[in-house]
Amino acid sequence: MNNLLAFNELHQYLMSFQVRCTIAEKNLIIGYKPFSFVGIQPKIATLHGSKNYQCLILHVAPGDKKTDLGKQLQREIQGQLAFDITELRKFKLKNNEVFVPLEVVDTKEKMKVLKEFIQQCFEQRKK
């Protein structure tokens, strides 16, 4: 599965949740916010299709920069999909986000694992 197919499948999956999406003007970056009647909600995910990133970012604890939830979940998904983000990307990781490069989602089985992980993260955020 190439990165464009993974991007497309993840976009369709994320849209199956009750979200609004925003698309950046100059790059292929899509942000997903939960639909709500009670004001502005922080992003739950961002899909970066730009050449340097090409990854899914899950915002697991938005606004809480002191949490280590992102690091815990990062280790979990790295174990499940067998990759090391520090070897694949050189940008600084945040404590409240999880990064999944699109190139590691190269099979249908890995896509299924990632979708289950996304579901788990969304359910955890609702609590």
Side-chain angles (χ1 to χ4, degrees), residues 26-48:
K26 296 183 181 183
N27 293 322
L28 186 55
I29 301 170
I30 305 174
Y32 302 88
K33 292 182 179 182
F35 184 76
S36 173
F37 293 109
V38 291
I40 299 172
Q41 297 289 321
K43 283 184 196 174
I44 56 174
T46 303
L47 258 177
H48 277 270

Side-chain angles (χ1 to χ4, degrees), residues 28-86:
L28 186 55
I29 301 170
I30 305 174
Y32 302 88
K33 292 182 179 182
F35 184 76
S36 173
F37 293 109
V38 291
I40 299 172
Q41 297 289 321
K43 283 184 196 174
I44 56 174
T46 303
L47 258 177
H48 277 270
S50 60
K51 189 174 186 176
N52 294 337
Y53 267 67
Q54 292 189 343
C55 68
L56 169 68
I57 302 171
L58 297 172
H59 307 281
V60 293
D64 186 0
K65 297 191 186 292
K66 295 180 181 180
T67 186
D68 64 343
L69 180 61
K71 287 186 177 187
Q72 292 171 6
L73 292 173
Q74 184 72 47
R75 285 190 296 272
E76 181 181 327
I77 194 63
Q78 285 181 172
Q80 291 177 359
L81 297 179
F83 75 96
D84 183 355
I85 190 67
T86 59

Side-chain angles (χ1 to χ4, degrees), residues 2-119:
N2 71 29
N3 291 358
L4 188 56
L5 290 173
F7 184 94
N8 183 46
E9 189 165 338
L10 286 171
H11 171 67
Q12 289 178 5
Y13 181 70
L14 291 168
M15 290 302 293
S16 71
F17 295 92
Q18 292 183 342
V19 296
R20 294 178 298 145
C21 70
T22 56
I23 302 173
E25 291 181 24
K26 296 183 181 183
N27 293 322
L28 186 55
I29 301 170
I30 305 174
Y32 302 88
K33 292 182 179 182
F35 184 76
S36 173
F37 293 109
V38 291
I40 299 172
Q41 297 289 321
K43 283 184 196 174
I44 56 174
T46 303
L47 258 177
H48 277 270
S50 60
K51 189 174 186 176
N52 294 337
Y53 267 67
Q54 292 189 343
C55 68
L56 169 68
I57 302 171
L58 297 172
H59 307 281
V60 293
D64 186 0
K65 297 191 186 292
K66 295 180 181 180
T67 186
D68 64 343
L69 180 61
K71 287 186 177 187
Q72 292 171 6
L73 292 173
Q74 184 72 47
R75 285 190 296 272
E76 181 181 327
I77 194 63
Q78 285 181 172
Q80 291 177 359
L81 297 179
F83 75 96
D84 183 355
I85 190 67
T86 59
E87 292 177 7
L88 298 174
R89 298 292 188 274
K90 300 300 180 202
F91 50 76
K92 184 175 167 67
L93 300 176
K94 296 180 182 178
N95 292 343
N96 58 354
E97 296 178 342
V98 176
F99 293 81
V100 180
L102 296 180
E103 65 265 22
V104 302
V105 189
D106 54 359
T107 65
K108 289 287 184 186
E109 293 79 20
K110 287 184 177 181
M111 180 61 76
K112 183 179 178 188
V113 168
L114 180 56
K115 287 179 179 179
E116 290 169 357
F117 182 79
I118 292 168
Q119 177 72 37

